[in-house]
Amino acid sequence: MGVGQSKTLEEQIKENKRNINKAIRELDRERKKLERQEKKIEKDIKKAAKENQMEAVKIMAKDYIRTKNYKNKFYKMRTQLQGVALRIQTMKSTQAMTTAMKGATRAMIRMNQKMNLPQMQHIMRKFAMETERMDMTQEMMGDTIDDVMESASDEEEEEKVVDQVLTELGIDTMEDVPDVPMGGTATAAAAGTQARVAAPIGAAASGGGGGGGGGGAGGPPPAAPPAGGAGGADLSDLEARLNNLRK
């Protein structure tokens, strides 16, 4: 360090801390000497008391009390120096924190000077608009693709499902359906029923002119069976299921 050059605050703090630690070590050495001297005086007092030298005992007792008091003073001085060292360390930590805060403040000032709040607001509004537009575009594209894929592939899937259902019905239910043509089934059944009903009626009318008693014995004609029977019900159920699949 050159002549006339002032020390920095950090250098001053380090130097003071070294001086305080040195003073504490010297105090510890002096205190240990006093402790040894105190023990020696205590032994001399006991020896003089055994020899019945009361004047010497009184003089050495004063020296013992004085040594003990100085030892206690050294304890107090050491504690005070330790407190000063802690204060210096606190000052050093505070100075380091102040320096860091000063640097951070300068950086924040430069950043705030470079930031343009209206421009940032404009950028954020534009970003929000573009994001919303992109979402709308993606949604429209997704709907279009779904429509195209449905018109191209869904029909094929429907046909496959219909064929599968027809195959299963052909195996499971078509065995119970009678071999009747699909077209005009109800008409043929109704015509057969009318023919069976008309024949007994004609016979009863022709026989009624010959004898009145014989007409009553003929009785009413038999009831016609329902049109189509069990086969017609199965076919109607099959047609309803196929219509539901085509919807």
Side-chain angles (χ1 to χ4, degrees):
M1 182 179 296
V3 179
Q5 185 177 359
S6 62
K7 297 180 181 180
T8 62
L9 179 60
E10 186 176 359
E11 291 175 352
Q12 292 178 4
I13 291 174
K14 288 182 179 179
E15 184 178 359
N16 292 329
K17 191 175 180 181
R18 284 196 300 268
N19 294 332
I20 290 173
N21 291 331
K22 183 178 179 180
I24 290 174
R25 288 193 297 268
E26 291 178 357
L27 286 174
D28 289 338
R29 285 194 295 267
E30 293 296 330
R31 180 178 53 79
K32 289 179 181 179
K33 288 181 182 180
L34 291 175
E35 287 177 353
R36 289 193 296 269
Q37 186 177 355
E38 182 182 2
K39 291 180 181 179
K40 183 177 181 300
I41 293 172
E42 185 178 358
K43 290 180 181 179
D44 293 339
I45 291 173
K46 290 179 180 180
K47 183 178 179 181
K50 288 180 181 179
E51 294 177 355
N52 199 14
Q53 299 178 1
M54 301 307 297
E55 294 295 331
V57 169
K58 292 180 180 179
I59 294 171
M60 285 187 291
K62 292 180 180 179
D63 191 12
Y64 177 82
I65 296 300
R66 188 183 303 113
T67 303
K68 187 175 181 179
N69 290 334
Y70 276 111
K71 184 185 72 172
N72 293 331
K73 287 181 181 180
F74 283 164
Y75 272 119
K76 292 179 181 179
M77 292 174 64
R78 186 179 188 278
T79 303
Q80 291 174 355
L81 287 174
Q82 284 181 342
V84 173
L86 290 175
R87 287 180 179 274
I88 292 176
Q89 182 64 35
T90 304
M91 291 175 60
K92 183 179 179 181
S93 302
T94 305
Q95 191 268 339
M97 183 179 66
T98 304
T99 304
M101 292 177 64
K102 185 177 180 180
T105 304
R106 289 177 179 175
M108 292 175 65
I109 290 172
R110 289 196 298 268
M111 290 177 63
N112 289 328
Q113 289 176 353
K114 291 182 179 180
M115 292 174 62
N116 189 353
L117 186 58
Q119 184 178 4
M120 291 181 62
Q121 292 178 350
H122 176 70
I123 291 172
M124 294 303 295
R125 286 196 300 268
K126 189 174 181 181
F127 176 78
M129 291 174 61
E130 294 299 329
T131 302
E132 185 176 0
R133 184 181 299 177
M134 184 178 64
D135 293 339
M136 293 176 62
T137 303
Q138 290 180 353
E139 185 177 359
M140 292 174 62
M141 290 179 63
D143 294 339
T144 304
I145 292 173
D146 291 340
D147 294 339
V148 173
M149 296 301 293
E150 287 179 0
S151 61
S153 62
D154 291 350
E155 293 181 359
E156 296 179 359
E157 295 294 332
E158 291 176 1
E159 294 294 336
K160 291 180 181 180
V161 172
V162 172
D163 294 339
Q164 183 178 359
V165 172
L166 289 176
T167 303
E168 293 177 356
L169 290 175
I171 295 173
D172 298 333
T173 62
M174 292 303 290
E175 295 179 355
D176 298 333
V177 179
D179 296 334
V180 181
M182 294 294 293
T185 303
T187 305
T193 303
Q194 291 178 359
R196 288 193 298 270
V197 172
I201 291 174
S206 59
D234 292 337
L235 290 176
S236 299
D237 187 16
L238 176 60
E239 290 178 358
R241 292 177 66 182
L242 291 177
N243 290 329
N244 291 330
L245 290 174
R246 290 190 179 94
K247 291 181 180 180

